[in-house]
Amino acid sequence: MAIKTKTFLKKGLTLFFSVMSFFMFGQNTEEPEIRKVFNPVVLAYRSAKTASELLVTKQTQNRPSFYKCDKKPVVTIDTYLFTICKSFGKDSLNALSVVIGHELAHYYNEHSFCTDFAFAIRNKNEVFSKKVKLIDKNQKIIYETQADDKGLFFAAIAGYEPFEVQPKLLDAVYTQYQLKDTHGYPTKVQRKEIAKNALLKAKRLFDTFRLGLKYMQEKKYDKAIEAFNTVNNDFPSRENYNNLGVAKTRKVLLLKVNTREEYKYPDRFLYPLEIENKSRLNQEVTRGINDDNKIQMEKYLKEAQMNFQEAIRLDPNFTKGYINLASVFDLLGNSEAALGIIKELPKDIQNQESAKRIKAIAYHHLELETKALEIWRELGI
């Protein structure tokens, strides 16, 4: 009996460690690679919502990827889908960004159902099938359209090139997962039509976003504002709100007249405003000020204030937003508020050059010249 027990325990321990070895070494070895794409796309959304969890499952050839919204949001990626993405060679990460962007769009847009990239509802998954089938068909199309629209756009914002590879990936998923063209709802034909329309829309709006950045560099601020507003109508994001605020503030600086002190020391009065392509904005003066200009300046500054506040709401950790907002408050004549914003930032951020610049300008406008000079000397300007 003792021998049998030992044999049983030995076999049991062998099985246990074999299983543990599988989970530790055989499972999710692709997760670090997938997470390298997942994390940048999450950051591109810049939502105040807590990031969805990522779960990588072993090859099943059953469901490519899906977003599940039960007790906590989870985006699940099948390793077989990652294998399909890798078959696109240099576009492998671009292909993966299409899928991840799509699933995250379901989460960030609060789509209250579980779905996968190919909308593959298999009969063997009865719970999943019943849950999705309860949803109105038109609503499913709306959800999938939004997920494709926003998924492609934010994958591009994250630095990937999803537009060309997306239709090829959809075909590959249907082929490799052996999905019938009429399987599920929408059908493959309908799904491809949704994807095609989303592709055109997302690419057009991403091109408009980049055009807005180009207009900023060319100092065509009215056109930049128009471009960012166009994108914001469909894809309100931290980047758009921030860049809108900067464009409006930059327009105000064209109307602003320098004081004698500002003419004498121009480098000291450069507001540290930044757009999302890392470009530092320098103050420019091209015309005199009159009553009409004053009204226009205040209008744009108030709008810029709201834009920066919205950017911060979408991403409370957005340091540039706070610096830009402080600059606007100072331009509005509320230097105390500008200092208050800076003083609420973490100490390491307060010690950055941009924060010190706005502090010095605010101190100067509050006639605290000693404090202003101390900072300017520290910055060497």
Side-chain angles (χ1 to χ4, degrees), residues 18-19 52 54 91 109 133 185 251 282 321 341:
S18 296
V19 172
S52 167
L54 171 65
D91 280 326
N109 288 278
K133 287 175 181 176
Y185 188 91
K251 185 176 175 66
N282 294 323
I341 290 172

Side-chain angles (χ1 to χ4, degrees), residues 76-91:
T76 300
I77 305 289
D78 180 6
T79 55
Y80 186 62
L81 175 61
F82 186 45
T83 300
I84 294 172
C85 290
K86 287 193 288 188
S87 71
F88 287 93
K90 64 181 180 64
D91 280 326

